Amino acid sequence: MKSISLEAKIRNISGKKVKSLRKQGVLPAGVFGHNVKSVSLSVVAKDFNKVYKQAGETGLVELKYGDVSQHTLIADVQIHPLTRELLHIQFHAVNLLEKIKANVPLELVGDSPAVANNIGLLLQTLNEVEVEALPTDLPEKIDVEVNALSEVNQQVLVSQLTAPKGVEILTGAQEVVVKVAPLISEEAKKEAEEAAAKEAAAAAAATTTTPATEGETSKPEAAEKTESSKEDK
């Protein structure tokens, strides 16, 4: 995989002062790694966004600052939870001859007959897996075939994934990646049936005449006795 170049500058300010950088369209950043001295940096936000769209978190980025040119991965991107503004970038310096661990996204490919035939819906329970590989062998993503999922409860496990050459998947082999779930869960179906039964019982009770309790006279009976009493007089 070819690396993408990104220019950076050594940053001498920190703390609250970095807000002034963001106002100028510059992001605070840092680089760390094995046998690499951690350095505080800054990158132009517009330039970083272009690189991030291409490289993601598994693509190599050739980070250039001062007289240094370092192969890195984008290890962490801090984003404001409300404004979604980029706050800070962390780069991980790597040795191209040493294997590293990284998380690789999973992408569903194909068409599930269960979905096409309205038998069930696909529930993806795992969005990425941890892998180990040389930095140059890290894939952008790993495909998950769903063409064979035709019945409820059928699933794809991590052990069924096909990793590219030179890539070892470290995530547990028996973890479920995606499964076919029923359109309505059994629990939801049971709750719906119970609710329907209660409504039916309430409706039946409303249409049934409530009998008079002992010592009480129903209204029709009381009216009849009153009329009889008038005739006797």
Side-chain angles (χ1 to χ4, degrees):
M1 180 184 295
K2 290 185 178 181
S3 61
I4 305 168
S5 181
L6 178 64
E7 296 285 342
K9 293 182 179 179
I10 295 176
R11 174 169 52 91
N12 295 316
I13 63 174
S14 59
K16 294 182 179 180
K17 293 182 180 180
V18 298
K19 288 184 178 180
S20 62
L21 290 177
R22 299 190 188 100
K23 291 180 180 179
Q24 300 170 37
V26 178
L27 296 172
V31 60
F32 72 95
H34 182 58
N35 293 328
V36 175
K37 182 180 179 180
S38 297
V39 181
S40 296
L41 303 170
S42 63
V43 295
V44 176
K46 182 175 64 175
D47 295 342
F48 173 77
N49 284 330
K50 290 180 181 179
V51 169
Y52 191 42
K53 285 181 180 179
Q54 296 179 62
E57 296 181 358
T58 59
L60 284 172
V61 176
E62 187 178 357
L63 193 63
K64 298 179 179 180
Y65 55 95
D67 58 354
V68 176
S69 181
Q70 181 72 58
H71 292 293
T72 68
L73 296 175
I74 300 172
D76 184 57
V77 179
Q78 293 181 16
I79 301 175
H80 192 285
L82 297 179
T83 65
R84 309 307 296 169
E85 176 190 11
L86 294 178
L87 300 177
H88 189 275
I89 314 302
Q90 200 73 9
F91 295 92
H92 179 199
V94 297
N95 184 330
L96 299 186
L97 301 179
E98 293 181 0
K99 289 186 176 183
I100 61 171
K101 296 178 181 179
N103 292 323
V104 176
L106 299 176
E107 183 174 302
L108 304 185
V109 295
D111 297 309
S112 165
V115 175
N117 297 323
N118 291 321
I119 295 173
L121 53 86
L122 290 182
L123 178 63
Q124 187 171 358
T125 57
L126 203 61
N127 294 310
E128 60 182 21
V129 289
E130 184 181 25
V131 305
E132 185 175 52
L134 291 173
T136 51
D137 289 336
L138 285 175
E140 178 184 350
K141 59 184 175 61
I142 292 178
D143 291 339
V144 182
E145 294 281 350
V146 298
N147 291 321
L149 300 181
S150 58
E151 299 178 4
V152 172
N153 292 328
Q154 282 190 325
Q155 57 191 17
V156 176
L157 304 177
V158 170
S159 60
Q160 296 171 280
L161 300 178
T162 301
K165 184 179 179 180
V167 177
E168 179 185 359
I169 297 178
L170 303 179
T171 301
Q174 295 305 307
E175 287 200 41
V176 177
V177 176
V178 60
K179 66 179 295 184
V180 179
L183 293 178
I184 300 179
S185 67
E186 289 300 321
E187 183 178 353
K189 184 177 180 180
K190 184 178 180 181
E191 289 177 355
E193 290 175 347
E194 290 177 351
K198 287 181 180 179
E199 289 181 5
T207 57
T208 303
T209 303
T210 304
T213 57
E214 187 177 352
E216 292 183 345
T217 305
S218 65
K219 288 184 180 179
E221 186 179 346
E224 186 178 331
K225 285 185 177 181
T226 300
E227 293 296 326
S228 178
S229 176
K230 286 181 181 180
E231 290 178 2
D232 290 342
K233 287 182 180 181

